[in-house]
Amino acid sequence: MLVKTTSAKFFVAAALAIMLAGCSSGPNMKEGEWELKTSMKMGGMAMPALVTKQCLTKKDIVPQDNKESDQCTLTEKKVKGDTVSWTMVCNPEGGGGKSESHGEITYNDTTMSGTVTMAVSGGPIKMDMTSEISGRWLGKCP
């Protein structure tokens, strides 16, 4: 009877471990202030890299331009392992043209990297842009 009880405890413990492993709390990323470096290319031209700082958490894990955040809507977000992918639609005031971006970044504790593609349409300017984004964790948010 001792063998059956020990075996049952082992199987229950193994099942719990498997269930907990499947309940991920998000990607392997440190929450806090991040320095983000974005290099953009459009129409064969490369723009100088833009460096910004942003507080990122597992709840707000998609980097955004804070100036446009009230004009943009995150329409889709998926987290798979350490990779976050999303779709965002922006409708700037003043008729600057609608944009739709698709991004994918992979976190690795205190660093991240990925790509964002954006298509601007519906206004006087129509263009496609690709951005390479990389980031590093700086510490706690101010």
Side-chain angles (χ1 to χ4, degrees):
M1 196 59 139
L2 181 62
V3 173
K4 287 184 181 179
T5 304
T6 304
S7 295
K9 286 180 183 178
F10 171 77
F11 286 118
V12 169
L16 283 173
I18 291 169
M19 287 185 341
L20 289 174
C23 297
S24 173
S25 61
N28 176 20
M29 64 89 69
K30 276 199 177 244
E31 296 181 309
E33 186 175 31
W34 283 72
E35 180 182 78
L36 305 173
K37 182 178 180 181
T38 306
S39 302
M40 189 181 334
K41 293 178 184 175
M42 62 181 167
M45 296 185 328
M47 310 299 267
L50 176 65
V51 179
T52 59
K53 292 181 183 176
Q54 186 176 353
C55 286
L56 296 173
T57 65
K58 290 187 180 184
K59 181 180 176 189
D60 295 317
I61 202 161
V62 175
Q64 296 183 47
D65 183 348
N66 291 331
K67 296 176 206 162
E68 296 179 351
S69 61
D70 59 337
Q71 301 168 7
C72 299
T73 303
L74 193 63
T75 59
E76 182 180 14
K77 177 176 77 172
K78 294 180 184 176
V79 178
K80 186 175 181 181
D82 293 334
T83 301
V84 179
S85 59
W86 69 90
T87 300
M88 185 177 297
V89 176
C90 299
N91 292 300
E93 294 177 12
K98 176 182 174 180
S99 67
E100 183 170 310
S101 61
H102 302 277
E104 182 175 286
I105 54 176
T106 301
Y107 285 93
N108 186 8
D109 191 30
T110 59
T111 62
M112 58 99 104
S113 63
T115 305
V116 179
T117 58
M118 180 189 304
V120 178
S121 63
I125 302 171
K126 295 181 191 309
M127 67 180 127
D128 294 322
M129 296 180 276
T130 301
S131 298
E132 297 294 324
I133 185 169
S134 62
R136 66 184 182 102
W137 182 78
L138 298 175
K140 292 183 179 180
C141 290

